Amino acid sequence: LELSDNLISEHGGLAIGAALASNTSLTSLSLYSNALRDGGARAIGTALASNRALTSLDLKWNSIKGEGACAIVVGLSTNSAL
């Protein structure tokens, strides 16, 4: 799913995280160049801990700093698909 350059904000990132938590079919997601920031990254990171379908995720250029990056790392630490 290509969602790059869509002005997706932190609030949108929260919705994407919620959707990814129950996702069983989406395998590729590009969120390149949005505005997810740390809030959106935290939600996505939480979802990654349980998501087993996603095999490709692009989060470049989203103003994700330390807190959000740490949440992604924690989510990936238990994710065997990505």
Side-chain angles (χ1 to χ4, degrees):
L1 180 61
E2 176 61 51
L3 295 175
S4 298
D5 275 322
N6 275 290
L7 303 174
I8 299 171
S9 66
E10 279 184 288
H11 184 73
L14 296 175
I16 290 169
L20 286 176
S22 60
N23 168 57
T24 59
S25 59
L26 182 69
T27 60
S28 180
L29 178 59
S30 178
L31 293 166
Y32 175 86
S33 193
N34 282 290
L36 298 174
R37 296 188 173 79
D38 284 341
R42 280 192 307 270
I44 291 169
T46 299
L48 291 179
S50 61
N51 183 295
R52 297 296 176 259
L54 205 61
T55 59
S56 175
L57 177 63
D58 187 350
L59 294 173
K60 291 187 298 275
W61 297 101
N62 272 287
S63 299
I64 297 170
K65 305 295 182 200
E67 187 179 331
C70 285
I72 296 292
V73 169
V74 169
L76 287 173
S77 70
T78 59
N79 182 303
S80 60
L82 276 170

